Amino acid sequence: MIYREHYIAPVREFYDSDLIKIITGIRRSGKSIILEQIKNEIGEKTDNVIYLNFEDKRVLANILNSDALIEYIENNRKDGKCYIFLDEIQMLNGWQEACKTLRLYNNSIFITGSNSKLLSKEFTKELSGRYVSFKVRPFVYKEILEYTKELGKEYQIAEYLIWGGFPKIFEFDTLDARIRYLNDLDDTIVINDLINRYKIKKENLFKNLVNYILRSNSRIVSANSIRDYIKGKNEECSINTIIKYISYLEEAYIIENVRQFSTKTKSELAYYLKTYDTDVSFNSIRCMDNRYDITHNLENIVYNELIYMGYKVNVFNNNGREIDFIAKKENKTYYIQVAYSIAEDKTYEREFSAFKNLDNLSQKIIITNDEIDYSTSVVKHIKLKDFLLMESLDDDIR
């Protein structure tokens, strides 16, 4: 497995801190591998290390609550600073209390979890500044190239636009095996985990809603549109239930909802949400007859890559013209349009006109899969194959 320095470097600054280090993100995105890499790095300077994986039934069978965890640590730690690694800690009831106590006694605590309730208001209020959090995502394309090279395999951009970047899929040699793995992963983390965690009784209703949401990536999603879809499936559902189900998908890091930034209000609009899948495979495995949604997956991929680069991203309303992204970092602002191709005149005009009347203080960018450079004096065209290798939007394009 590749060494994911992008995620480890920010954590390294806190190795010896008494702050609880929380590594979050969707299941199977590589959190456990990163935790192990951090553990190995620390293990080079000390053997006062304890690791527990709470997805291991043997661990949960013997450590039933917070008191049992504290007792186990105290009985197995050595003198001096102890480094404690607790993988998928949300499986243990009362883990918060245990972590709060352990950090007081010369322990450096690292935890992972696949539920954003790790960072819920209740929890953060309890800790009140005693933690730092780090979010891990599936592979972006740069990481995919590094890992497939390590495996002696290839993975084309076209494959990335369909099957995404969950790390495990690159270990399989055939497309059938990859699809089978992704379907099993979807059943586990999208359906079964959430149904069991939230004790959802209307399973068919929930599954229909999930299918609609994950096929609607890179689109505006409203509770009303979802309710209309559900009615078409001959089921009834309240707006409150829809909002609640969407929140479950967010809490498990399966989707991210992005707000629109308006030139008129100079602020985010709370009622406008555009949904992006954490990994585009969630869309593709729901497609029939190989009719994959490449256009919307491309925009979703660009969103995921921008987040990886460290940009704060919103959708932008330019006086009625929607710009796919306004991205900000280090006091720099970028307006970004995404299209599969702008070779046709009509598409070219539509995409470039979205930038009309914007000030020239911010960079305007269009990202497409075209080979021809369509840059103008005011708009920078970035080919997708170049964008996927960039560390920053300011990188020189080779």
Side-chain angles (χ1 to χ4, degrees):
M1 178 60 72
I2 63 172
Y3 201 79
R4 300 183 78 181
E5 178 68 12
H6 177 87
Y7 295 106
I8 294 174
V11 185
R12 191 177 290 123
E13 299 180 37
F14 297 91
Y15 278 4
D16 295 319
S17 171
D18 66 349
L19 295 174
I20 300 168
K21 280 69 70 176
I22 304 175
I23 301 173
T24 65
I26 191 169
R27 286 183 67 175
R28 304 299 175 254
S29 58
K31 300 185 304 297
S32 296
I33 295 295
I34 289 171
L35 193 70
E36 182 180 354
Q37 292 172 342
I38 293 172
K39 177 175 70 71
N40 292 341
E41 194 171 293
I42 290 175
E44 293 178 358
K45 67 176 184 178
T46 178
D47 61 354
N48 197 3
V49 173
I50 294 174
Y51 171 83
L52 294 168
N53 179 3
F54 286 90
E55 286 191 318
D56 188 332
K57 291 183 179 179
R58 295 171 298 177
V59 173
L60 278 176
N62 289 280
I63 301 176
L64 302 176
N65 52 45
S66 59
D67 290 339
L69 176 57
I70 293 171
E71 182 180 2
Y72 179 89
I73 298 296
E74 288 304 306
N75 290 338
N76 288 276
R77 75 186 304 282
K78 300 177 182 179
D79 292 337
K81 183 176 286 294
C82 181
Y83 298 84
I84 301 168
F85 298 86
L86 308 173
D87 204 0
E88 296 295 347
I89 188 63
Q90 81 278 353
M91 306 293 290
L92 179 72
N93 289 329
W95 62 268
Q96 300 97 323
E97 292 300 322
C99 289
K100 284 168 60 180
T101 298
L102 289 169
R103 65 174 292 275
L104 300 175
Y105 297 95
N106 202 21
N107 296 309
S108 180
I109 302 169
F110 303 77
I111 67 177
T112 73
S114 304
N115 187 336
S116 66
K117 284 195 171 182
L118 285 173
L119 302 177
S120 66
K121 291 181 180 178
E122 294 81 6
F123 178 45
T124 54
K125 184 178 179 180
E126 285 182 35
L127 287 183
S128 62
R130 298 185 182 93
Y131 76 97
V132 285
S133 66
F134 310 88
K135 186 175 179 181
V136 175
R137 309 173 69 86
F139 283 167
V140 294
Y141 196 63
K142 292 181 286 291
E143 294 178 302
I144 291 172
L145 291 180
E146 184 179 353
Y147 189 41
T148 51
K149 181 179 180 181
E150 181 180 290
L151 295 175
K153 300 179 179 181
E154 293 185 355
Y155 195 70
Q156 303 300 323
I157 292 174
E159 296 176 279
Y160 181 41
L161 292 176
I162 298 172
W163 304 119
F166 275 112
K168 189 73 173 177
I169 67 169
F170 307 106
E171 299 176 16
F172 301 109
D173 292 326
T174 67
L175 179 58
D176 284 346
R178 288 176 176 177
I179 294 174
R180 184 174 293 111
Y181 168 74
L182 289 171
N183 274 295
D184 289 344
L185 183 69
D186 185 88
D187 286 342
T188 300
I189 68 177
V190 179
I191 305 300
N192 296 336
D193 274 4
L194 296 185
I195 287 174
N196 292 330
R197 180 183 299 162
Y198 298 107
K199 297 179 173 57
I200 296 171
K201 295 180 180 179
K202 297 180 179 180
E203 292 188 18
N204 286 334
L205 172 64
F206 179 71
K207 290 176 181 178
N208 281 330
L209 179 142
V210 166
N211 288 335
Y212 180 83
I213 291 290
L214 296 180
R215 282 291 309 275
S216 299
N217 59 325
S218 307
R219 298 169 176 87
I220 302 167
V221 173
S222 71
N224 286 328
S225 66
I226 296 171
R227 185 172 60 178
D228 290 343
Y229 172 81
I230 295 298
K231 283 184 177 180
K233 297 290 183 179
N234 297 316
E235 296 195 66
E236 293 293 330
C237 186
S238 70
I239 294 295
N240 286 340
T241 297
I242 290 170
I243 292 171
K244 180 170 63 176
Y245 284 173
I246 292 174
S247 74
Y248 295 164
L249 293 171
E250 289 185 277
E251 287 170 4
Y253 301 107
I254 294 162
I255 63 169
E256 295 179 11
N257 286 323
V258 180
R259 300 193 184 280
Q260 185 184 72
F261 191 93
S262 172
T263 52
K264 293 182 179 179
T265 63
K266 301 296 183 183
S267 62
E268 295 178 3
L269 302 180
Y271 61 84
Y272 181 107
L273 293 176
K274 204 169 184 181
T275 297
Y276 294 95
D277 296 346
T278 297
D279 191 85
V280 296
S281 62
F282 289 136
N283 178 315
S284 298
I285 61 173
R286 289 172 166 80
C287 293
M288 295 289 291
D289 302 321
N290 298 329
R291 299 288 294 173
Y292 301 116
D293 193 357
I294 301 296
T295 301
H296 290 99
N297 281 0
L298 172 55
E299 181 180 329
N300 202 140
I301 288 286
V302 171
Y303 170 80
N304 291 341
E305 296 271 346
L306 288 171
I307 297 298
Y308 178 86
M309 292 180 192
Y311 291 95
K312 183 182 185 303
V313 176
N314 290 93
V315 182
F316 190 76
N317 183 341
N318 181 23
N319 294 315
R321 296 184 180 91
E322 182 186 298
I323 293 179
D324 292 323
F325 303 116
I326 176 172
K328 297 184 178 183
K329 185 171 72 170
E330 298 174 352
N331 298 319
K332 293 184 178 180
T333 300
Y334 309 81
Y335 298 104
I336 303 169
Q337 279 290 84
V338 182
Y340 190 79
S341 174
I342 51 174
E344 294 185 1
D345 291 343
K346 185 177 180 180
T347 309
Y348 179 97
E349 175 59 30
R350 182 185 70 237
E351 299 298 336
F352 275 84
S353 67
F355 298 116
K356 188 176 180 180
N357 298 326
L358 287 176
D359 64 71
N360 292 321
L361 299 176
S362 302
Q363 178 72 65
K364 304 173 190 66
I365 295 171
I366 187 162
I367 299 170
T368 80
N369 201 39
D370 295 303
E371 285 294 328
I372 298 172
D373 184 359
Y374 288 100
S375 296
T376 69
S377 59
V378 294
V379 178
K380 179 181 180 181
H381 175 225
I382 302 178
K383 300 173 187 177
L384 178 63
K385 66 179 184 180
D386 295 325
F387 170 76
L388 294 176
L389 300 179
M390 296 168 72
E391 298 290 342
S392 163
L393 292 172
D394 292 328
D395 286 356
D396 290 331
I397 301 173
R398 293 187 293 273

